[in-house]
Amino acid sequence: MKNGFCWYELRTSRPDEARRFYSNVLGTPFVGELSLLPEAAATRGAPSHWLGHIDVPDLESSVQRLIAQRAERLGPPRTSAEGIPSTVLRDPFGAVVALTSRAGHPTHAELAWHELHTRDQERAIALYRGLFGWRPTEALQLSPEVGTYQQFTWREDMRSVGAACGTARLPHIHPHWLFYFAVDDLDRALTAVEAGGGLVANGTHVMPDGSRVAACEDPQRAAFGLRQLP
């Protein structure tokens, strides 16, 4: 899983409440890492959010290559209590992502889906392919507004792990990565979202492979997705 997402961090203003909320929604212990929303980010008006970490073999080299493509470094490099370094950046098209080098350290299980909402889908796909070796897979036409839903993979077996779409061109959507968690019963999970003070955005949708998905927000307004396989 080199050069793919390997770690998922919820940066939130209320960690204890978030842990209870996601455990109730997913029906499992909390998935990922909880951290307090950085003061600098809160001062800039950033809401609570999920941050995906891409595993790279050489952190500083990868950071410099991304910056050379007009990405923006957001704050100084960080080192976790376990000695794991990471750097947070805004990619050239506005989505925030972290790079990390976790050699010798465990990683989270891959989430169900990774969805990039961007203003320039073709250039974004080319960027991540050129820097990290991600490969395009199937392309779907979802609607005139969304346009092409270009799936991609970083897996050796070529199974799609996510997709990029040009939805950030729409006035009510900003560039971001949306991470989907797998659930066995989507309806039960959505009931738990609303009971816990979260929001379900635009109902549920059936994907071409038969998966049912829904985009949601937690009570602190961090966006996430849920996906039930067919």
Side-chain angles (χ1 to χ4, degrees), residues 10-92:
L10 177 60
R11 308 208 297 180
T12 179
S13 56
R14 298 183 179 179
D16 291 339
E17 291 182 21
R19 186 182 301 277
R20 289 193 295 270
F21 172 82
Y22 284 96
S23 294
N24 289 335
V25 169
L26 301 177
T28 64
F30 182 79
V31 176
E33 177 186 0
L34 272 169
S35 62
L36 192 63
L37 182 68
E39 184 176 348
T43 299
R44 292 196 302 267
S48 297
H49 59 277
W50 280 95
L51 177 66
H53 292 244
I54 298 174
D55 191 19
V56 294
D58 184 328
L59 178 58
E60 189 54 32
S61 172
S62 297
V63 168
Q64 291 304 322
R65 289 173 63 204
L66 194 48
I67 289 174
Q69 298 295 320
R70 308 191 74 172
E72 174 189 2
R73 190 194 297 258
L74 301 179
R78 303 182 299 165
T79 301
S80 72
E82 296 81 16
I84 302 167
S86 65
T87 299
V88 182
L89 304 105
R90 190 185 312 278
D91 79 17

Side-chain angles (χ1 to χ4, degrees), residues 157-172:
D157 63 8
M158 291 299 291
R159 177 173 64 81
S160 295
V161 295
C165 48
T167 44
R169 296 190 302 267
L170 303 176
H172 58 288

Side-chain angles (χ1 to χ4, degrees), residues 3 65 69 123-135:
N3 290 351
R65 289 173 63 204
Q69 298 295 320
R123 290 176 63 203
I125 285 284
L127 173 79
Y128 284 90
R129 183 178 189 177
L131 290 177
F132 308 121
W134 298 3
R135 291 158 288 177

